[in-house]
Amino acid sequence: MQIQNNISLQPYNTFGIDVKAKQFVSISSVEDLKHIYSSSDYPNKFILGGGSNMLLTKDIDALVIHVNLKGIHIIESFDDRVLVQANAGENWHEFVLWTLKNDYGGLENLSLIPGNVGTSPIQNIGAYGVELKDCFHSCEALNLETLNIESFDKEDCRFDYRNSIFKQEAKGKYIILNVTFSLTKTNHPLKTEYGAIKSELDRLHVSNPTIQDISKAVINIRQSKLPDPKKIGNSGSFFKNPILTKAAFEKLQTNFPDVPHYKVSETEVKVPAGWLIETAGFKGKTFKNYGVHKKQALVLVNYGGATGKDILDLSQLIQTTILRIFNISIEAEVNII
Ligand code: EPU
């Protein structure tokens, strides 16, 4: 374990923002993690996973801990399903590819999501009709006060749309060490109801899709609308899709009859923030070296050299404009540091 001083965090956040960490350590064992948390040498600590869901707006005056725990293990295998445990530092998409290579089903719709396994439960990552919670079995996390390892089952995590206990009362109190998924071995239930998947499978002339075909379709869709963080800095969806009361939605629909929407419950309706941002005229807008992605308005991009403050100011301009035009508050999905 090597502690480095004054390190640029640019390679460690997908927005590619160049801020400095006062100290930095990459952790590959739970023992090292416990050592750091039991020592009085590092009073300020900051935990970094895949860096794919954060906007860094300032230097970090702390020891930045890069969770780099690796390993994938089969915990238990049954006739029809398998419990697979992946350590927190595994890259999410590489893990999904591993499951597909072994013909384990469940995560195919979540292909190509940036980030690491350990941070996936925090915001219950989701895409194309599937959320992490659908395959989640349990996770183990280090309690940073007691230094005991605690296990969380699905109920403990209180998953919701882009939300979990780790974003609420457990925030900052744990480091997730590993996640166990319950995946299918046979008769994989396929989730193709999300419109874009069906049309992409048609385009690929696939009528009886396998989980690998669905992954391919999702990869194609994502690559066609979402910028590759290796080429253009971004953090995926910058905002959450707002959930409106039925009454508020009906009022919106009177003024904007074409507004796309999804029913959440008998009393709530979700509206795509991407549509609101596009309708407000921001899609594809570029300001100096940053802006709003031209193919998906929900994604803010750093074309190179933008600061976290630039992106934050843009996000606030979008928020106030959306509030003025539609009377809707949209909330950032990424963590602003
Ligand atoms: N739309 C627009 N303009 C845009 C973008 C979207 O009008 O620029 C409208 C369209 O009507 C479209 C609808 O929004 O039909 C939905 O768009 P899309 O399918 O791209 O999904 P989204 O609601 O914008 C969510 C997730 C994405 C996820 C996709 C697919 C959130 C905050 N975002 O986006 O997640 O990939 O669904 O399931 O829920 C991420 O979290 O980083 C992310 C990319």
Side-chain angles (χ1 to χ4, degrees):
M1 180 175 73
Q2 195 203 351
I3 310 259
Q4 296 169 280
N5 294 313
N6 209 25
I7 286 289
S8 169
L9 293 178
Q10 194 170 21
Y12 298 99
N13 72 100
T14 59
F15 249 124
I17 305 285
D18 187 12
V19 296
K20 296 231 157 22
K22 187 176 173 201
Q23 291 185 301
F24 179 90
V25 65
S26 185
I27 289 290
S28 48
S29 78
V30 179
E31 287 65 43
D32 284 350
L33 209 45
K34 285 187 178 175
H35 171 77
I36 284 177
Y37 275 87
S38 54
S39 157
S40 57
D41 292 349
Y42 316 106
N44 300 318
K45 294 176 274 295
F46 177 90
I47 305 150
L48 184 71
S52 64
N53 202 40
M54 56 170 61
L55 177 66
L56 296 167
T57 61
K58 53 181 186 297
D59 289 342
I60 311 266
D61 186 23
L63 171 65
V64 172
I65 300 170
H66 180 225
V67 180
N68 200 24
L69 304 164
K70 297 284 192 195
I72 301 173
H73 319 273
I74 292 173
I75 299 284
E76 213 172 342
S77 193
F78 306 91
D79 285 348
D80 56 343
R81 67 192 177 90
V82 61
L83 292 181
V84 180
Q85 186 177 79
N87 281 330
E90 287 291 337
N91 173 271
W92 175 263
H93 181 59
E94 280 167 28
F95 171 59
V96 173
L97 293 179
W98 181 93
T99 65
L100 294 168
K101 209 172 81 198
N102 288 281
D103 205 30
Y104 298 150
L107 302 180
E108 54 281 359
N109 295 49
L110 303 179
S111 296
L112 212 61
I113 294 184
N116 285 355
V117 167
T119 40
S120 63
I122 299 177
Q123 54 148 345
N124 181 27
I125 58 170
Y128 305 105
V130 173
E131 287 185 336
L132 173 109
K133 72 171 168 53
D134 301 334
C135 294
F136 178 93
H137 176 271
S138 57
C139 68
E140 286 186 318
L142 184 68
N143 180 321
L144 298 177
E145 216 170 277
T146 63
L147 296 189
N148 290 329
I149 296 177
E150 294 177 22
S151 187
F152 291 75
D153 67 17
K154 199 191 279 197
E155 217 164 282
D156 297 330
C157 291
R158 288 201 254 118
F159 290 123
D160 202 350
Y161 169 59
R162 296 294 195 275
N163 208 353
S164 76
I165 192 168
F166 300 108
K167 265 184 129 173
Q168 302 296 331
E169 56 268 49
K171 189 173 177 175
K173 296 189 179 146
Y174 292 89
I175 291 182
I176 296 174
L177 302 173
N178 58 59
V179 184
T180 300
F181 298 88
S182 175
L183 304 174
T184 51
K185 281 168 78 176
T186 52
N187 300 324
H188 308 299
L190 305 179
K191 309 245 173 41
T192 55
E193 62 274 19
Y194 203 94
I197 293 192
K198 274 203 196 103
S199 39
E200 182 58 21
L201 289 170
D202 286 348
R203 203 187 64 84
L204 295 171
H205 305 294
V206 175
S207 46
N208 265 323
T210 61
I211 52 176
Q212 291 78 8
D213 293 328
I214 292 187
S215 169
K216 182 73 201 137
V218 167
I219 289 172
N220 288 354
I221 301 164
R222 290 190 75 98
Q223 284 177 336
S224 71
K225 355 169 124 180
L226 296 169
D228 177 353
K230 288 193 193 101
K231 295 180 190 141
I232 301 176
N234 77 91
S235 220
S237 301
F238 194 92
F239 300 100
K240 287 198 248 185
N241 288 332
I243 295 172
L244 309 184
T245 61
K246 210 165 166 237
F249 172 71
E250 279 163 5
K251 213 167 150 197
L252 175 73
Q253 205 179 25
T254 313
N255 296 328
F256 300 93
D258 299 336
V259 56
H261 55 279
Y262 320 96
K263 186 174 157 183
V264 176
S265 67
E266 286 312 316
T267 55
E268 290 172 318
V269 180
K270 201 193 274 184
V271 170
W275 181 88
L276 299 171
I277 299 167
E278 178 172 349
T279 307
F282 282 104
K283 192 170 184 172
K285 270 218 163 160
T286 301
F287 305 78
K288 291 191 298 184
N289 45 5
Y290 58 96
V292 178
H293 188 53
K294 56 182 184 306
K295 294 184 192 155
Q296 163 55 291
L298 200 47
V299 178
L300 304 188
V301 288
N302 170 15
Y303 291 108
T307 65
K309 174 84 172 40
D310 290 333
I311 309 264
L312 182 62
D313 287 350
L314 171 59
S315 76
Q316 288 167 346
L317 173 67
I318 292 173
Q319 281 170 317
T320 51
T321 310
I322 299 291
L323 187 62
R324 184 167 45 74
I325 301 178
F326 303 101
N327 196 27
I328 295 175
S329 299
I330 54 169
E331 233 182 275
E333 198 225 297
V334 304
N335 295 306
I336 294 163
I337 311 291

